[in-house]
Amino acid sequence: MRLITVYNHLFKRYGPQHWWPAETPFEVMVGAVLTQNTAWINVEKAIINLKSAGAISPEAVIEAEHDILAEWLRPSGYFNIKAKRLKNYCHWYLGQGGFEPLSRFDDNTLRHAVLSVNGVGPETADDILLYAFERPVFVIDAYTRRLFSRLGLVEHDMGYEALRHHFETGLAKEAGQVALFNEYHALIVMHAKEHCRVKPVCMGCPLRRVCPYPKQNH
DNA sequence: AACCAGGAGACAT
DNA sequence: ATGTCTCATGGT
């Protein structure tokens, strides 16, 4: 089965996801950091706190005391670490001059620049690249690994960069890379969420016969 | 009531 | 290069 075939099944079942769930590019960046190993519902609460405090800007994040910022981030978990990581990112972001100057970087340069921030790893960086800067990078997360290794389309022990390269080259001939990668990652997350927890059978699963869910606990 | 969620860094080996 | 610990709230 080809990668684009899996995509077509998912899209037919779930339709367009119009990700990322955020109002501005900066809000995408904040969400990308806060959602590290965390349920999105909890990230939403933290973002609401930031908005209520008028702190959904890089300047406000930097100016806030650590303990205050951590308190706003509390619902998203790891609040002490994430307060530091968010400040690290905002310092770097403003140091680069914000969105405009960064948007002139070529894809690879921008990716390495974002990755240089302490607290921003490959997945967080690619969330930011794809959903805030609209660059053609394929986001690899735990869901992607699990789904495609169980489908037998990738090896289970592939590293992040190897997986990313596999998806990007495997979909290279498809039109509209950014829009495709945007929808694909969102659909993978949606599919995983539907098959999360108790689901006796894959009723309505777009991948029917080959659907790897549920297996073990998922 | 254990288990997991849209990971990453520090550190040891 | 690869493996293990830690970070932490909230839903099921």
PDB file of all heavy atoms in Angstrom, chain B residues 11-13, chain C residues 1-2:
ATOM      1  P    DC B  11      23.369  17.304  33.198  1.00  0.00           P
ATOM      2  OP1  DC B  11      23.433  17.827  34.573  1.00  0.00           O
ATOM      3  OP2  DC B  11      24.173  17.915  32.112  1.00  0.00           O
ATOM      4  O5'  DC B  11      23.709  15.749  33.243  1.00  0.00           O
ATOM      5  C5'  DC B  11      22.820  14.851  33.913  1.00  0.00           C
ATOM      6  C4'  DC B  11      23.084  13.424  33.450  1.00  0.00           C
ATOM      7  O4'  DC B  11      22.473  13.179  32.172  1.00  0.00           O
ATOM      8  C3'  DC B  11      24.569  13.105  33.245  1.00  0.00           C
ATOM      9  O3'  DC B  11      25.006  12.302  34.343  1.00  0.00           O
ATOM     10  C2'  DC B  11      24.617  12.353  31.917  1.00  0.00           C
ATOM     11  C1'  DC B  11      23.147  12.085  31.610  1.00  0.00           C
ATOM     12  N1   DC B  11      22.839  12.049  30.159  1.00  0.00           N
ATOM     13  C2   DC B  11      22.234  10.914  29.635  1.00  0.00           C
ATOM     14  O2   DC B  11      21.950   9.970  30.394  1.00  0.00           O
ATOM     15  N3   DC B  11      21.966  10.861  28.297  1.00  0.00           N
ATOM     16  C4   DC B  11      22.285  11.895  27.518  1.00  0.00           C
ATOM     17  N4   DC B  11      22.006  11.805  26.231  1.00  0.00           N
ATOM     18  C5   DC B  11      22.905  13.057  28.048  1.00  0.00           C
ATOM     19  C6   DC B  11      23.164  13.096  29.354  1.00  0.00           C
ATOM     20  P    DA B  12      26.476  11.718  34.392  1.00  0.00           P
ATOM     21  OP1  DA B  12      26.881  11.710  35.814  1.00  0.00           O
ATOM     22  OP2  DA B  12      27.315  12.392  33.390  1.00  0.00           O
ATOM     23  O5'  DA B  12      26.234  10.206  33.918  1.00  0.00           O
ATOM     24  C5'  DA B  12      25.248   9.419  34.555  1.00  0.00           C
ATOM     25  C4'  DA B  12      25.152   8.048  33.886  1.00  0.00           C
ATOM     26  O4'  DA B  12      24.566   8.198  32.578  1.00  0.00           O
ATOM     27  C3'  DA B  12      26.505   7.356  33.699  1.00  0.00           C
ATOM     28  O3'  DA B  12      26.401   5.981  34.049  1.00  0.00           O
ATOM     29  C2'  DA B  12      26.790   7.544  32.211  1.00  0.00           C
ATOM     30  C1'  DA B  12      25.389   7.569  31.614  1.00  0.00           C
ATOM     31  N9   DA B  12      25.299   8.326  30.364  1.00  0.00           N
ATOM     32  C8   DA B  12      25.722   9.611  30.161  1.00  0.00           C
ATOM     33  N7   DA B  12      25.512  10.050  28.942  1.00  0.00           N
ATOM     34  C5   DA B  12      24.917   8.973  28.299  1.00  0.00           C
ATOM     35  C6   DA B  12      24.460   8.779  26.992  1.00  0.00           C
ATOM     36  N6   DA B  12      24.523   9.722  26.051  1.00  0.00           N
ATOM     37  N1   DA B  12      23.915   7.583  26.679  1.00  0.00           N
ATOM     38  C2   DA B  12      23.853   6.648  27.629  1.00  0.00           C
ATOM     39  N3   DA B  12      24.242   6.705  28.890  1.00  0.00           N
ATOM     40  C4   DA B  12      24.780   7.909  29.166  1.00  0.00           C
ATOM     41  P    DT B  13      27.709   5.044  34.140  1.00  0.00           P
ATOM     42  OP1  DT B  13      27.494   4.048  35.229  1.00  0.00           O
ATOM     43  OP2  DT B  13      28.894   5.938  34.146  1.00  0.00           O
ATOM     44  O5'  DT B  13      27.664   4.288  32.740  1.00  0.00           O
ATOM     45  C5'  DT B  13      26.549   3.464  32.437  1.00  0.00           C
ATOM     46  C4'  DT B  13      26.535   3.083  30.965  1.00  0.00           C
ATOM     47  O4'  DT B  13      26.380   4.227  30.131  1.00  0.00           O
ATOM     48  C3'  DT B  13      27.798   2.375  30.486  1.00  0.00           C
ATOM     49  O3'  DT B  13      27.444   1.047  30.113  1.00  0.00           O
ATOM     50  C2'  DT B  13      28.260   3.175  29.262  1.00  0.00           C
ATOM     51  C1'  DT B  13      27.014   3.970  28.893  1.00  0.00           C
ATOM     52  N1   DT B  13      27.280   5.265  28.212  1.00  0.00           N
ATOM     53  C2   DT B  13      26.851   5.444  26.919  1.00  0.00           C
ATOM     54  O2   DT B  13      26.264   4.580  26.306  1.00  0.00           O
ATOM     55  N3   DT B  13      27.124   6.674  26.370  1.00  0.00           N
ATOM     56  C4   DT B  13      27.793   7.728  26.975  1.00  0.00           C
ATOM     57  O4   DT B  13      27.981   8.766  26.385  1.00  0.00           O
ATOM     58  C5   DT B  13      28.227   7.472  28.326  1.00  0.00           C
ATOM     59  C7   DT B  13      28.948   8.536  29.072  1.00  0.00           C
ATOM     60  C6   DT B  13      27.957   6.276  28.878  1.00  0.00           C
TER      61       DT B  13
ATOM     62  P    DA C   1      26.979   9.232  14.381  1.00  0.00           P
ATOM     63  OP1  DA C   1      26.735   9.181  12.933  1.00  0.00           O
ATOM     64  OP2  DA C   1      26.636  10.462  15.098  1.00  0.00           O
ATOM     65  O5'  DA C   1      26.331   7.946  15.004  1.00  0.00           O
ATOM     66  C5'  DA C   1      25.339   8.003  15.941  1.00  0.00           C
ATOM     67  C4'  DA C   1      25.093   6.583  16.475  1.00  0.00           C
ATOM     68  O4'  DA C   1      25.836   6.402  17.707  1.00  0.00           O
ATOM     69  C3'  DA C   1      23.652   6.346  16.812  1.00  0.00           C
ATOM     70  O3'  DA C   1      23.369   4.948  16.732  1.00  0.00           O
ATOM     71  C2'  DA C   1      23.568   6.836  18.238  1.00  0.00           C
ATOM     72  C1'  DA C   1      24.937   6.463  18.796  1.00  0.00           C
ATOM     73  N9   DA C   1      25.443   7.460  19.738  1.00  0.00           N
ATOM     74  C8   DA C   1      25.702   8.776  19.491  1.00  0.00           C
ATOM     75  N7   DA C   1      26.143   9.428  20.534  1.00  0.00           N
ATOM     76  C5   DA C   1      26.173   8.476  21.537  1.00  0.00           C
ATOM     77  C6   DA C   1      26.543   8.529  22.888  1.00  0.00           C
ATOM     78  N6   DA C   1      26.988   9.639  23.477  1.00  0.00           N
ATOM     79  N1   DA C   1      26.458   7.389  23.621  1.00  0.00           N
ATOM     80  C2   DA C   1      26.026   6.281  23.026  1.00  0.00           C
ATOM     81  N3   DA C   1      25.656   6.111  21.760  1.00  0.00           N
ATOM     82  C4   DA C   1      25.746   7.260  21.064  1.00  0.00           C
ATOM     83  P    DT C   2      21.876   4.400  16.641  1.00  0.00           P
ATOM     84  OP1  DT C   2      21.891   3.153  15.863  1.00  0.00           O
ATOM     85  OP2  DT C   2      21.020   5.523  16.229  1.00  0.00           O
ATOM     86  O5'  DT C   2      21.549   4.036  18.168  1.00  0.00           O
ATOM     87  C5'  DT C   2      22.189   2.917  18.769  1.00  0.00           C
ATOM     88  C4'  DT C   2      21.850   2.842  20.247  1.00  0.00           C
ATOM     89  O4'  DT C   2      22.501   3.920  20.962  1.00  0.00           O
ATOM     90  C3'  DT C   2      20.347   2.959  20.584  1.00  0.00           C
ATOM     91  O3'  DT C   2      19.978   1.827  21.358  1.00  0.00           O
ATOM     92  C2'  DT C   2      20.257   4.256  21.384  1.00  0.00           C
ATOM     93  C1'  DT C   2      21.646   4.334  21.988  1.00  0.00           C
ATOM     94  N1   DT C   2      22.077   5.692  22.422  1.00  0.00           N
ATOM     95  C2   DT C   2      22.563   5.836  23.713  1.00  0.00           C
ATOM     96  O2   DT C   2      22.657   4.910  24.498  1.00  0.00           O
ATOM     97  N3   DT C   2      22.942   7.119  24.032  1.00  0.00           N
ATOM     98  C4   DT C   2      22.882   8.249  23.211  1.00  0.00           C
ATOM     99  O4   DT C   2      23.253   9.334  23.614  1.00  0.00           O
ATOM    100  C5   DT C   2      22.363   8.004  21.887  1.00  0.00           C
ATOM    101  C7   DT C   2      22.259   9.149  20.934  1.00  0.00           C
ATOM    102  C6   DT C   2      21.998   6.764  21.569  1.00  0.00           C
TER     103       DT C   2
END
